[in-house]
Amino acid sequence: MNSKKRSKPDSPARFAIGIDLGTTNCAIAYSPINPDPLAAPGEVRLLSVEQLVAPATTEARPLLASFMHLGSPRDAAAKALDLPWAADRDFAVGALAAKMAADAPTRTVAGAKSWLVNSRVDRHEPILPWNAPADVQKVSPVEASVRYLSHLAAAWARAFPDAPIEHQKVVLTVPASFDASARELTREAAIQAGLGEELILLEEPQASLYAWLADAGDRWRRTVKPGDTLLVCDVGGGTTDFTLIAVAEENGELALNRLAVGNHILVGGDNMDLALAVSLRESFAAKGINLDPWQSVALWHSARAAKETLLGLNPPEKHPVTVLGRGSKLIGAAISVDLDRQTTTKLLLEGFLPENAVTDGPQRPRASGFREIGLAYESDTAITRHLADFLMRHGPSSGTPAQPTYVLFNGGVFKASALRQRILDVMGHWFGPELAPKPLEGEPDLDFAVARGAAYYAGAKSGRGVRIRGGTARSYYVGIETAGPAIPGIARPLRALCVVPFGMEEGDEADVPAENVGVVVGEQTTFRFFSSPTRKNDKPGDVITSWSEPELSETDSIQTTLPTDETAEDDWFSVKFRSRITELGMLELFCESRTSDHRWKLEFSVRDDRPDGGGT
């Protein structure tokens, strides 16, 4: 990593800190750590984050918007973007950046978190804002994440100057669907931001359930019973995540075990905002106003504010949406149309939460042979169809869906009661009124649940509070090239060797039986990795000879040169494997020579956008 290693403090951590690095908003929560390991977790509190709300004006707010405004040298010279702890700034994050998104869309970074999982681009390269003009000094998705997390770390330092954040127990959340490389990129950004190398990653749906547990106290044991299944339905700004958690009984006590997580689905509030913007563009056109590309991007950001107002508490019937004029007669002027609540609700329900059968999976229309490189947004925006597909894939038998007993909603999208109710109504049609899942009562504020749950988890991991067990959310495989005669123009087929089973716990190691497998050394080679959220019965050493997506999907490959020495007679060694999940949740794979003391380690450490391989 690029960060400096810090020595461990002499005194124990004083606080458990939970950080939600969200697609749309970030939040930070904390609780004091009781030195008694048997004591109940401390009260979880939120930290208000000082940030720019207008040029040269700061204010402490509970959320830090995940937006970045890339200013000009003139902004830096005018000190307009300075903070109390940072001078000569040429960028701003938070409330001001979100506010300026509509006025300066080509200088606005949004959705950086979704880019972390996009393996089609180099996530260390300055590519954001995507398609911004050449005069904008772009940043990478990793750098954007560093800046958000650095801001949170600075807010913590101002509030608790005698408790450095890198010496506390820090838990940072990621989508359950993030693969190993996206998780490592997130961890890399966190370390560069000064959060310390001992931070732990936690899946967001689990964090939201931990927040519910923190609020429920012992009441949760009276709410659910053994045999119940909890569905965490998490729809945020950029992604949709589903998680199933089973309630079991162990040694006379209730326990929570994660059963399944869904795929990374790029559908969320951003898509809804864009759909509203398209509808509004037609309204502008009806007035004879054709918006240019700049105004269309600005309209997308303006639609977000309108949606939140119209679907919030005590909403008005209409909300004006305004963009700046760009024509010769309109420069400096503002043009606006009204968006009404009924139209907004109908468009979002029909477009994103339609009524469908549980057997109706996502629709896959034929794609063009050419496609712009960018975020891999889902072609089917129907979240209810993605949910049906998830439940069918993880049911007790083929053709039978999993049936949740309770639903826990998470993500800013579900602040709208109409959207929560539509999910419940659709599942009521799937399973009938008697088996329809019920919402978990007393859900915490959806803006802060993930951060609060992460702070609670830091205490639960130390033995205080309830832990959700489940280990890795996927099985992991390495691609083994088969032997055989070469055929011109045809690559040799691959076999997939299971090296990490579903549910492997942090700190666990596994021997991986493998016959007749060799590793190439002394020259650059590519090692291919695969993962599966559905193959839960594969064991280390199991070999898959054929598969299709999404049953098995390829993650980032490793391009590296495994070292050798002058005594080696061959450029390859017959090896056996050993896998390990570290305490921080990272995957390590060791290749051990069967004929010498050579040993190599492959791990997801993606500096230069490639995991590293090393030899010992």
Side-chain angles (χ1 to χ4, degrees), residues 477 494-498 535 538 542-547 551-552:
Y477 308 78
L494 283 183
R495 294 180 294 151
L497 173 69
C498 179
R535 296 187 65 96
D538 289 345
D542 286 353
V543 175
I544 306 173
T545 57
S546 63
W547 63 86
E551 177 193 29
L552 207 67

Side-chain angles (χ1 to χ4, degrees), residues 423-448:
I423 290 283
L424 295 172
D425 291 344
V426 168
M427 287 197 288
H429 295 151
W430 292 348
F431 304 120
E434 295 184 359
L435 297 178
K438 303 174 183 177
L440 279 176
E441 296 180 358
E443 296 115 9
D445 192 317
L446 295 175
D447 282 330
F448 309 108

Side-chain angles (χ1 to χ4, degrees), residues 368-585:
S368 169
F370 294 101
R371 185 176 185 179
E372 181 184 19
I373 295 175
L375 290 178
Y377 290 110
E378 286 290 332
S379 55
D380 191 340
T381 60
I383 293 170
T384 44
R385 284 196 284 268
H386 289 286
L387 175 57
D389 181 64
F390 170 71
L391 295 178
M392 291 296 293
R393 286 182 178 277
H394 297 283
S397 60
S398 178
T400 303
Q403 294 193 20
T405 316
Y406 292 96
V407 181
L408 178 67
F409 292 106
N410 189 53
V413 164
F414 287 122
K415 292 169 69 174
S417 60
L419 305 188
R420 297 197 304 270
Q421 189 59 49
R422 172 56 69 91
I423 290 283
L424 295 172
D425 291 344
V426 168
M427 287 197 288
H429 295 151
W430 292 348
F431 304 120
E434 295 184 359
L435 297 178
K438 303 174 183 177
L440 279 176
E441 296 180 358
E443 296 115 9
D445 192 317
L446 295 175
D447 282 330
F448 309 108
V450 169
R452 294 178 64 250
Y456 176 91
Y457 172 77
K461 192 170 176 63
S462 301
R464 302 176 292 117
V466 184
R467 280 196 68 186
I468 303 167
R469 287 175 294 188
T472 57
R474 284 171 163 72
S475 305
Y476 285 93
Y477 308 78
V478 292
I480 308 296
E481 183 180 304
T482 57
I487 302 175
I490 299 178
R492 288 191 176 97
L494 283 183
R495 294 180 294 151
L497 173 69
C498 179
V499 293
V500 173
F502 182 93
M504 188 169 174
E505 294 280 356
E506 299 161 1
D508 284 356
E509 297 185 9
D511 286 316
V512 182
E515 298 295 331
N516 303 319
V517 176
V519 63
V520 177
V521 298
E523 63 180 80
Q524 181 166 303
T525 51
T526 299
F527 299 89
R528 297 174 66 181
F529 280 75
F530 300 83
S531 69
S532 173
T534 57
R535 296 187 65 96
K536 301 176 186 177
N537 297 319
D538 289 345
K539 303 181 296 298
D542 286 353
V543 175
I544 306 173
T545 57
S546 63
W547 63 86
S548 61
E549 290 199 33
E551 177 193 29
L552 207 67
S553 57
E554 188 163 4
T555 66
D556 287 352
S557 60
I558 296 176
Q559 293 181 352
T560 190
T561 301
L562 297 184
T564 185
D565 57 45
E566 295 178 356
T567 63
E569 298 180 358
D570 296 311
D571 60 359
W572 69 278
F573 288 84
S574 175
V575 294
K576 56 184 178 180
F577 297 102
R578 185 170 184 80
S579 59
R580 178 173 178 263
I581 301 297
T582 70
E583 291 293 341
L584 301 179

Side-chain angles (χ1 to χ4, degrees), residues 219-279:
R219 178 170 52 86
W220 81 271
R221 302 176 189 276
R222 300 189 296 273
T223 302
V224 299
K225 62 183 184 301
D228 284 346
T229 300
L230 313 180
L231 167 67
V232 183
C233 188
D234 184 352
V235 183
T239 60
T240 290
D241 267 328
F242 303 119
T243 297
L244 286 175
I245 297 172
V247 182
E249 186 173 8
E250 298 178 5
N251 301 320
E253 293 286 333
L254 288 181
L256 297 172
N257 299 309
R258 186 189 57 199
L259 295 176
V261 299
N263 293 317
H264 192 72
I265 304 171
L266 278 179
V267 172
D270 290 347
N271 303 71
M272 297 180 180
D273 302 334
L274 184 58
L276 289 172
V278 170
S279 175

